[in-house]
Amino acid sequence: MLPYFDPEYENFSQRINPPRVCIDNSTCSDCTLVKVDSMNKNGILLEVVQVLSDLDLAISKAYITSDGGWFMDVFHVVDKQGQKVTDEKTIQHIEKALGPESNLLGGAKGSSSPGRSVGMHSIGDHTAIELKGPDRTGLLSEVFAVLAELGCNVLAAEAWTHRARVACVVYVNDAASGQAIDDARKLSRIEHRLRHVLRGHNGGGGAAAAVRDDDGCRPVAHANFFSGGGGSNTHVDRRLHQLMHADVDADLDGGGGEAEEEDRPVVSVEHCEEKDYSVVNVKCRDRSKLLFDIVCTLTDMQYVVSHASVSSDGTYGMQELYIRGKDGGTLEKDEAGRVIKCLEAAISRRVSEGFTLELCGRDRVGLLSDVTRVLREHGLTVTRADVTTVGEQAISVFYVRDASGQPVDMKTIEGLRAQIGQTVMLNVKSVPSSAAAAGKSPGQTPSSVALSRTSFFSFGSLFAKLRA
């Protein structure tokens, strides 16, 4: 007779020592300290950083240690205005997502963020579509036009481009029923049309289109349906990194010559003999979500960050991460080279220069198709896009530049204001170039330089205004 084993035994330590989070606004005069203590588990650092990144909190300093069975982190954060985190809803969200009632350790209490969400906003019942392939001017316009023609309502979308490749995740439902698409023939038509769009004029080029399976990885021609607490557990930014990481070899073959040498991140890997770690050092232009992108890449490459220190002088971010493989081993020479190249690519993907177009208007089927068509007609190419809906309002942010690589002419911007601004609220912002971001005007503090350089659109602040 086999001995009895209580299935709850594995959760015993978790119940005795649940995760703890402390929001400290008294220790430092210029930032909020977020202190997280928990039992250690694989991937926990990424989950914590993901929560802070989704709230658009800038991490100016961090001290991370998770060697052995315990995980202890301290993050110095400010909000998008460079101020301490004092908003009660934001504080409560952090406490719920990282505290005792969270799902940080994968226990049975349930997810702290039920349903699929983009940032802090749940998008409900949907079908997720992933696109990956060669980029070209007007591609996003063609994708949204196909979805509108086939009766798909876009609930949210995020698209990245890097080194002539594009990755996009689009969340849609059926425009007629408002439900996830469950018609196999319709799904087949969508896949066929999107594959045709991605192939473009090249007849292939490694393009792939897939309606995502529940594990978020397999390019299959069917859909899973999500409602209530169901849905994919893969964060949208992490999934985009995964899609583009699959093209890393092609990126390396391409040489990555589009970035100026002075703007490229400096990444090195050394071996720490004393503690038997591989030490990854990163120095690059500081920006929003930098730590997330680095930790996400290392985690998906099956490396564990045991210790790390993060700092920023307002212009440059410096990170020192002590890592090992999941098997406890350090990096071999060829592994170190690949880690360097993958981190360089991950850091560069989210860098945008040119203009941001922030749009807010009443949602309708075909709105994104119309907006992106206008961008294409004005000779603008979309380098990144963030799209979501809040109630009946559609909120979109497009990072655009001239298709020829030249600065965007102000006449073009005024033309966009006149054409798009008739139906939606439009705000245009210039994204400073790396060289301009590095320069400090007299009297400007490092923190103010960082804020001016990373003044990306905040969904969180706009959601708060819409709810008010």
Side-chain angles (χ1 to χ4, degrees), residues 359-405:
L359 298 95
C360 180
R362 187 176 181 83
D363 190 28
R364 61 175 172 82
V365 176
L367 174 63
L368 291 173
S369 174
D370 294 342
V371 169
T372 50
R373 174 181 51 78
V374 172
L375 296 180
R376 181 181 62 182
E377 290 172 351
H378 282 79
L380 298 177
T381 184
V382 178
T383 59
R384 277 176 52 206
D386 300 314
V387 176
T388 192
T389 55
V390 180
E392 296 183 348
Q393 295 293 311
I395 305 168
S396 305
V397 183
F398 297 97
Y399 298 75
V400 301
R401 59 178 172 80
D402 188 89
S404 63

Side-chain angles (χ1 to χ4, degrees), residues 79-100:
D79 62 19
K80 293 296 289 184
Q81 288 71 45
Q83 304 299 316
K84 289 184 176 184
V85 181
T86 56
D87 178 69
E88 282 300 320
K89 289 184 178 179
T90 302
I91 292 174
Q92 290 172 8
H93 180 87
I94 295 173
E95 292 174 341
K96 183 178 180 181
L98 302 179

Side-chain angles (χ1 to χ4, degrees), residues 83-269:
Q83 304 299 316
K84 289 184 176 184
V85 181
T86 56
D87 178 69
E88 282 300 320
K89 289 184 178 179
T90 302
I91 292 174
Q92 290 172 8
H93 180 87
I94 295 173
E95 292 174 341
K96 183 178 180 181
L98 302 179
E101 299 302 316
S102 72
N103 196 41
L104 198 59
L105 296 176
K109 293 183 179 180
S111 172
S112 60
S113 302
R116 182 69 188 96
S117 63
V118 176
M120 294 177 63
H121 179 64
S122 175
I123 59 175
D125 196 22
H126 67 273
T127 297
I129 301 174
E130 294 180 350
L131 308 172
K132 182 182 71 171
D135 188 29
R136 68 176 187 277
T137 302
L139 176 61
L140 206 57
S141 172
E142 295 178 44
V143 168
F144 288 136
V146 166
L147 294 175
E149 183 183 339
L150 295 177
C152 299
N153 182 43
V154 177
L155 301 172
E158 191 158 347
W160 293 357
T161 65
H162 187 235
R163 294 176 183 167
R165 302 287 292 178
V166 62
C168 182
V169 180
V170 188
Y171 303 97
V172 302
N173 64 14
D174 186 271
S177 66
Q179 304 297 314
I181 301 169
D182 58 0
D183 186 333
R185 288 180 297 179
K186 184 171 183 176
L187 289 171
S188 179
R189 287 198 303 273
I190 293 171
E191 182 184 15
H192 174 75
R193 291 286 299 278
L194 290 178
R195 284 185 180 275
H196 181 73
V197 167
L198 286 171
R199 283 196 296 268
H201 306 292
N202 300 324
V211 179
R212 186 162 67 193
D213 197 359
D214 57 352
D215 63 5
C217 299
R218 297 193 299 271
V220 292
H222 68 268
N224 281 338
F225 310 105
F226 312 102
S227 60
S232 170
N233 293 322
T234 304
H235 186 270
V236 62
D237 286 6
R238 183 178 186 180
R239 187 59 191 143
L240 287 167
H241 273 303
Q242 291 171 348
L243 289 169
M244 301 206 88
H245 179 78
D247 291 326
V248 71
D249 291 329
D251 287 346
L252 301 182
D253 291 341
E258 63 185 41
E260 296 181 13
E261 190 64 31
E262 63 176 350
D263 295 331
R264 295 186 64 178
V266 178
V267 184
S268 64
V269 177

Side-chain angles (χ1 to χ4, degrees), residues 315-329:
T315 300
Y316 287 95
M318 287 75 70
Q319 310 200 17
E320 184 180 58
L321 305 102
Y322 290 74
I323 70 170
R324 291 183 181 135
K326 282 188 175 180
D327 59 359

